[in-house]
Amino acid sequence: MNPSHKGKEKYCKDGVGSGTIPAMGRFKFFHVLILALVCLIFTSHANADTLSGTVKDPSGGIVIGARIEISGANLLQPLVFTTDESGKFVAPNLEAGKYSVRVGKEGFDDVLTEVDLHGTADLAFSLKIAAPETRITVSEKSAEFANSDAAYRQLREIGLGDTYRCENFTFSMDVGTFELKTGTLTFLSPVNKLETGAVFVGQGHFTLKPVVTVDINEMARRSGGPTAEEDFTEVVFRFTPDQYSQFGAVLGSRTGTPAEASGALQRWKDKLRHRHEVPEGLTQAFLESETIDNVDADVLAAIYNPKHPPFFNAYMHGAPHKDLRFFVRARVGAIPQLDSPEEVGLVNCDGGGMNDGIWYSQHLKSELAAHTASSQEDKRLFATRHYDIETVIGKNDHLFSRATIKFEPLVAGERVLKFGLLPNLRVARVTGEKGQDLHFIQENRKEDGSFYAVLDEAPAMGQVHSVTVEYGGDKVLSNAGSGSYYIGARQSWYPNLNGFGEKALYDLTFKIPPSNVLISVGKLESQRTEAGFAVTHWVTPVPVAVAGFNYGQYKKMDWPDSITHYEISGFYLTELPDSLRRFSNGALGGMAPGAMTKYALDQARAQMQVCTLYFGKAPYDNIYITEQPNFSFGQSWPNLVYLPISAYIDSTQRWMLFGQINSRFTGFVQEVTPHEVAHQWFGHGVGWASYHDQWLSEGFAEFAAGLFLQQAMGPKWQKDYTDFWERQRVRILEKNSFGVSPNDAGPLWLGLRLISPKSGQAYQGVTYSKGAYVLSMLRSLMRAENGSGGDPDQAFIDMMHDFMERHRDIPASTESFKTVAEKHMTTKMDIQHNGRLDWFFREWVWGTQVPRYSFKYDVQPGEAGKFKVHAEITQSEVDENNCNVRPDLRGFWKRHDAADAGGHRR
């Protein structure tokens, strides 16, 4: 799930696109206050000199506990100090003279400097990691390239230009219409003689009128009516220079610039350049993620490329909504954080308010009319071909990396590349193919701190180019205690150019303290010891959508599979993390991680066998099953599965832990391993084209978890299997405190947009559970008493194998899956006699109706001791256009000749 939205009780099988936004710790000024008081005390010694300083790592983070050794002058022996929690030290009461200051910290090179002290000296030290080939060296020259591009500085400091009267001016942008009734329109000052924005203040009105039924219904849920209507008093427009024509021909007479225009622009800057470290709602979680829009950098791309795909953004302040944002972007998507090619969007940024949400996201009206709109449209500006990343993890758990990204331009003239990179990871230097320094943009992490690289010139089309990025910082690793770590920023620990929107090859080298073990995506090519670090080298044999790793004091266990011959390995922790240590003498006192790892590997092996049978060969020959300290959160990366520590706790321990049998959590533990293993097929083997299609990953993986319970468990599997589908039904239809069920929130096709303050669990309930039900329905409809080869599931198996093969190299969309399903549909499924499944997808993917069935039967005695049964099934609570085929449930209690959880065939 992406991102994580927590209700009062939730267990998260997080699929493959997830990024949680960690809560950042707040800076503690208490220590600064103490230091200031100490300095005041020291200054009372009129005849004494003071030597002080601050120690930081290459990323600019403070270094606590660094050893400071001061010698020289008249000292009989060196003075030794340690940096405090602010990374500072103070040496008072020194006599004037020449001193040597040596700074050391384990894992870093020592720094030695000479000081001629007369009065007070405050020094600044920057330590370098103690691995020569991975040091991040920031010269004064390279530092000058950060946020310093001349055109970017103009955009960043942009002010107001000419002002014009504006009366009864109406213009449309796709489905949005702006009516500027009365007021003034002030253009922003030109940049390189180009117009890039304007500010309207006065009285105006905005209307957005959807044209597709599903969007009309969603708008009614969001705004209370079929259209969005907003009166506004100020709007800030930002656009590519070619969009200036929207205003130029209809301007009134010039006039003085009102003070309100300056205030509106400043409020816009304050709002768009501020990043909440702890998001208050969905829109902040999306729009202020590691790919937060730096609008100035986005406009810079159009300044440097006159043919840059056009965009037009409007930021409205009005009534009843204070922050309504309308986007039209021809490339990268209206809302890039959605990973969708849809060009038009409307977002109500309401923070923690009840109207917060993505109200509209759709293709251009012209595409809809021409029936050319598709989730599989390629909206990238650049295509990534290869990542070569060398990473050092310091003993302070900070990360320092050098990444070379090879890419190919897809749009001529583009010079600005935007990457997804955790803002806490600070870029020190960007270089081009010839080693030359390049300008780059990365504002403060508390601001619009996305990372952009600016090329010196537009790269040639049809050729592969590269940039190299040096960076470092914290918040990727958090020490969970006893050798375990929480891994954050799982897809933004490196400069990620297009997220899950593409696949690329990775070459990864990690240098870590030898007490820990690192498990990465790809295959381990080599390992060695170098300069006190354990060094491992990993390579992905095939392109993958994302790279990641797990890290800690792991023990390894190999688990052979003589049937499928996958290489399966387990990595487990021998000690409890700090969050569970209080249970070490109680509920978890008898925890046996080795034995439970064998059980998890049994499950993984059996699920690999089941999935191979039903869906085809996995895309990777090896898989690593790793434990993580997170208690109720699982995730799957290419050939790397993160299982929650709860998957390593047996049922007795869970009962002791909760004080009762928690059926929901029991269900989570049953499902999490097979669900995450299935993501090797759904999510990684086959990706999804947009958020509309993520159910093809999460729903299919959830279906596969149910398939595991049916096909791979022991002889008493029926109860677990029926309980599984009952849990899914409840997750879809159970109403929350607002009286809203996940299914009430909207159709499966809406994906992440289902989430609202009143339907926080809708994405989980619909995308996972209803998605699983949809695939299960198709399986049921396709079952045959005597299928090909005598297997009643053969038509379904053929369909799923075909689906996997067709989408090995391209992401799957709902429409492309529908095409595959129609190819393999049975005669009884063709109820419209047109060879199409429009009826099925209209009702279950694009619709929300759920039929209720009542069953009546009458039994009468017949001849020769037989009975006559008259049965009647009645469908209700759906409209007259709803049509369904009675599913074949005769095979519900039968299973395929698959493997059980011990890896044995049946």
Side-chain angles (χ1 to χ4, degrees):
M1 186 178 100
N2 184 0
S4 177
H5 299 274
K6 296 183 178 179
K8 61 180 180 180
E9 182 177 16
K10 176 181 170 195
Y11 312 108
C12 183
K13 294 184 291 298
D14 190 13
V16 294
S18 175
T20 58
I21 299 178
M24 310 294 182
R26 295 184 177 178
F27 185 81
K28 298 181 179 179
F29 292 94
F30 181 67
H31 303 291
V32 179
L33 179 60
I34 292 178
L35 181 62
L37 291 173
V38 171
C39 291
L40 286 173
I41 294 171
F42 287 154
T43 57
S44 65
H45 298 276
N47 298 322
D49 294 344
T50 299
L51 182 60
S52 62
T54 304
V55 181
K56 296 184 178 180
D57 62 30
S59 70
I62 60 173
V63 178
I64 302 170
R67 186 178 188 273
I68 313 298
E69 182 179 299
I70 302 174
S71 59
N74 66 340
L75 294 175
L76 299 178
Q77 61 183 20
L79 300 176
V80 178
F81 300 87
T82 301
T83 54
D84 63 13
E85 293 187 10
S86 299
K88 297 180 180 295
F89 70 91
V90 178
N93 303 326
L94 299 176
E95 293 187 4
K98 294 184 177 180
Y99 292 87
S100 294
V101 183
R102 180 181 294 276
V103 181
K105 174 73 175 178
E106 188 177 14
F108 296 89
D109 286 332
D110 285 359
V111 174
L112 180 65
T113 189
E114 304 292 330
V115 179
D116 191 1
L117 184 64
H118 295 281
T120 300
D122 189 28
L123 308 178
F125 297 92
S126 179
L127 301 185
K128 295 181 176 64
I129 196 72
E133 58 273 34
T134 56
R135 290 177 184 168
I136 297 175
T137 304
V138 187
S139 66
E140 183 177 351
K141 180 181 178 182
S142 63
E144 292 175 356
F145 286 80
N147 304 322
S148 61
D149 177 90
Y152 176 71
R153 292 316 318 162
Q154 292 183 60
L155 289 163
R156 200 68 179 173
E157 298 159 10
I158 202 163
L160 298 176
D162 295 336
T163 298
Y164 299 84
R165 296 187 185 280
C166 191
E167 302 291 335
N168 297 319
F169 169 41
T170 299
F171 69 98
S172 295
M173 296 295 296
D174 200 74
V175 293
T177 300
F178 293 88
E179 183 183 0
L180 309 183
K181 297 179 180 179
T182 180
T184 60
L185 188 68
T186 303
F187 288 95
L188 305 186
S189 52
V191 176
N192 289 5
K193 299 181 181 181
L194 298 172
E195 300 287 353
T196 66
V199 178
F200 172 82
V201 292
Q203 299 298 317
H205 186 81
F206 170 76
T207 299
L208 187 146
K209 187 176 181 180
V211 297
V212 178
T213 300
V214 68
D215 295 321
I216 295 171
N217 293 339
E218 174 65 2
M219 187 60 68
R221 179 173 81 104
R222 296 288 189 171
S223 70
T227 62
E229 305 287 346
E230 182 78 3
D231 290 323
F232 54 77
T233 55
E234 60 186 49
V235 187
V236 174
F237 300 104
R238 297 307 305 268
F239 43 75
T240 49
D242 59 348
Q243 297 299 299
Y244 171 71
S245 59
Q246 293 286 343
F247 305 101
V250 293
L251 296 175
S253 60
R254 289 184 58 175
T255 186
T257 301
E260 292 84 353
S262 178
L265 178 61
Q266 188 58 51
R267 283 188 292 274
W268 177 84
K269 289 182 177 180
D270 293 342
K271 183 168 52 185
L272 269 291
R273 296 177 181 179
H274 174 67
R275 179 173 178 264
H276 293 81
E277 296 197 59
V278 180
E280 297 173 347
L282 173 71
T283 59
Q284 287 182 11
F286 267 107
L287 301 182
E288 299 178 11
S289 67
E290 59 270 11
T291 56
I292 182 175
D293 287 341
N294 179 329
V295 179
D296 303 309
D298 293 337
V299 174
L300 181 68
I303 295 291
Y304 282 146
N305 183 12
K307 296 183 178 180
H308 182 79
F311 66 78
F312 183 94
N313 301 346
Y315 305 85
M316 292 169 272
H317 176 85
H321 308 107
K322 305 303 181 185
D323 187 2
L324 196 63
R325 306 180 188 182
F326 176 69
F327 306 107
V328 180
R329 292 175 178 167
R331 203 81 181 190
V332 308
I335 308 170
Q337 295 80 7
L338 265 183
D339 289 332
S340 168
E342 293 169 329
E343 299 90 351
V344 187
L346 181 67
V347 181
N348 183 31
C349 300
D350 195 22
M354 297 305 292
N355 291 314
D356 182 71
I358 300 168
W359 284 20
Y360 184 83
S361 180
Q362 186 53 275
H363 291 276
L364 293 168
K365 187 165 59 173
S366 58
E367 291 184 1
L368 296 174
H371 303 287
T372 58
S374 170
S375 292
Q376 293 178 310
E377 294 175 22
D378 190 351
K379 294 293 185 178
R380 297 174 295 168
L381 296 171
F382 303 90
T384 316
R385 301 304 183 205
H386 189 275
Y387 291 90
D388 191 330
I389 307 173
E390 187 175 6
T391 299
V392 175
I393 297 176
K395 290 188 167 134
N396 62 351
D397 301 331
H398 284 209
L399 179 145
F400 307 94
S401 293
R402 178 184 289 111
T404 297
I405 303 102
K406 294 181 180 179
F407 63 90
E408 183 178 343
L410 301 179
V411 175
E414 289 301 308
R415 289 179 50 192
V416 179
L417 298 92
K418 182 181 182 180
F419 295 90
L421 183 68
L422 183 72
N424 281 75
L425 297 173
R426 307 307 297 171
V427 175
R429 190 183 188 194
V430 180
T431 53
E433 292 172 301
K434 299 177 182 179
Q436 78 277 21
D437 281 290
L438 296 177
H439 284 284
F440 65 91
I441 298 166
Q442 188 187 41
E443 299 292 344
N444 187 285
R445 66 179 177 82
K446 294 184 179 180
E447 299 177 2
D448 46 348
S450 287
F451 167 50
Y452 298 73
V454 184
L455 304 178
D456 287 338
E457 59 184 7
M461 296 291 289
Q463 297 180 21
V464 175
H465 307 266
S466 68
V467 294
T468 297
V469 183
E470 299 177 25
Y471 61 97
D474 60 359
K475 301 301 181 184
V476 174
L477 294 172
S478 299
N479 195 325
S482 302
S484 60
Y485 289 83
Y486 298 108
I487 313 296
R490 297 191 180 189
Q491 68 186 80
S492 58
W493 64 273
Y494 62 95
N496 192 324
L497 189 55
N498 288 307
F500 276 85
E502 66 180 6
K503 293 181 179 181
L505 293 168
Y506 287 80
D507 189 305
L508 306 167
T509 300
F510 295 93
K511 302 183 179 183
I512 66 172
S515 58
N516 289 326
V517 173
L518 186 141
I519 311 102
S520 170
V521 301
K523 283 194 172 183
L524 179 62
E525 295 293 316
S526 65
Q527 51 188 333
R528 66 186 188 276
T529 300
E530 180 182 297
F533 285 86
V535 183
T536 55
H537 178 212
W538 309 75
V539 174
T540 59
V542 296
V544 297
V546 67
F549 61 89
N550 210 346
Y551 179 76
Q553 294 179 8
Y554 283 100
K555 302 294 183 183
K556 183 183 179 184
M557 182 182 298
D558 291 323
W559 211 244
D561 185 350
S562 60
I563 297 174
T564 61
H565 305 292
Y566 296 118
E567 298 174 16
I568 305 173
S569 299
F571 293 83
Y572 64 94
L573 300 162
T574 59
E575 301 291 335
L576 291 171
D578 289 348
S579 61
L580 296 176
R581 184 160 297 281
R582 65 185 184 275
F583 301 108
S584 59
N585 294 323
L588 303 181
M591 190 172 176
M596 291 305 294
T597 297
K598 293 178 181 179
Y599 178 69
L601 291 173
D602 267 345
Q603 287 189 311
R605 178 173 59 187
Q607 181 67 326
M608 295 287 285
Q609 294 172 4
V610 169
C611 289
T612 299
L613 173 65
Y614 273 84
F615 314 129
K617 192 176 187 316
Y620 321 112
D621 294 331
N622 64 309
I623 186 170
Y624 307 121
I625 308 297
T626 67
E627 179 186 355
Q628 62 178 353
N630 309 69
F631 192 76
S632 55
F633 169 78
Q635 196 170 46
S636 186
W637 256 208
N639 77 280
L640 173 62
V641 172
Y642 304 84
L643 290 183
I645 193 171
S646 56
Y648 295 77
I649 299 173
D650 64 34
S651 57
T652 301
Q653 290 166 332
R654 290 198 302 271
W655 178 81
M656 294 174 65
L657 196 63
F658 289 111
Q660 60 179 343
I661 297 175
N662 187 314
S663 58
R664 288 194 177 191
F665 195 76
T666 297
F668 167 77
V669 172
Q670 283 182 335
E671 298 166 20
V672 66
T673 299
H675 176 102
E676 301 304 344
V677 169
H679 272 308
Q680 299 302 302
W681 281 261
F682 307 118
H684 293 303
V686 172
W688 63 92
S690 78
Y691 70 94
H692 290 300
D693 315 301
Q694 204 161 351
W695 71 278
L696 301 174
S697 170
E698 299 298 355
F700 283 21
E702 193 75 344
F703 166 84
L707 193 64
F708 168 86
L709 294 176
Q710 184 193 43
Q711 299 292 332
M713 296 303 288
K716 298 182 179 180
W717 57 273
Q718 287 90 344
K719 183 179 187 305
D720 286 340
Y721 187 58
T722 53
D723 286 349
F724 169 84
W725 287 110
E726 175 60 15
R727 284 195 300 273
Q728 308 307 319
R729 188 190 68 82
V730 170
R731 290 170 187 167
I732 299 167
L733 300 177
E734 187 176 50
K735 295 187 182 296
N736 60 18
S737 58
F738 294 102
V740 178
S741 73
N743 193 69
D744 294 335
L748 180 58
W749 186 77
L750 277 181
L752 287 162
R753 286 172 55 198
L754 293 164
I755 301 171
S756 77
K758 292 183 179 180
S759 57
Q761 297 298 314
Y763 170 78
Q764 187 89 1
V766 174
T767 303
Y768 286 64
S769 299
K770 189 174 181 180
Y773 254 111
V774 167
L775 191 57
S776 181
M777 291 177 195
L778 286 174
R779 179 195 180 196
S780 177
L781 291 171
M782 299 177 81
R783 284 185 67 85
E785 188 65 29
N786 295 299
S788 175
D791 187 343
D793 266 339
Q794 194 59 53
F796 176 77
I797 291 172
D798 291 343
M799 177 186 74
M800 297 307 296
H801 280 236
D802 190 9
F803 172 69
M804 294 295 300
E805 288 302 319
R806 288 195 189 198
H807 297 92
R808 292 282 183 185
D809 300 318
I810 59 171
S813 69
T814 299
E815 292 78 10
S816 68
F817 172 65
K818 178 173 176 284
T819 298
V820 175
E822 288 170 343
K823 175 185 173 183
H824 294 273
M825 64 188 287
T826 61
T827 303
K828 70 177 180 181
M829 297 167 69
D830 190 12
I831 64 176
Q832 294 178 303
H833 307 293
N834 60 1
R836 298 175 62 87
L837 288 172
D838 296 345
W839 66 273
F840 182 86
F841 280 77
R842 182 178 61 249
E843 291 168 11
W844 297 110
V845 177
W846 297 307
T848 59
Q849 293 185 7
V850 178
R852 178 178 293 275
Y853 293 100
S854 60
F855 176 63
K856 297 179 180 179
Y857 67 93
D858 180 58
V859 181
Q860 297 292 335
E863 298 177 354
K866 297 181 179 180
F867 294 90
K868 292 182 179 180
V869 178
H870 175 79
E872 180 180 291
I873 299 176
T874 303
Q875 176 178 284
S876 61
E877 300 187 12
V878 292
D879 63 35
E880 59 185 9
N881 296 317
N882 187 282
C883 53
N884 274 299
V885 176
R886 180 184 63 81
D888 184 351
L889 298 179
R890 288 173 292 177
F892 188 81
W893 298 109
K894 299 178 182 179
R895 60 181 180 180
H896 201 282
D897 179 26
D900 64 18
H904 306 294
R905 300 292 291 185
R906 293 191 178 280

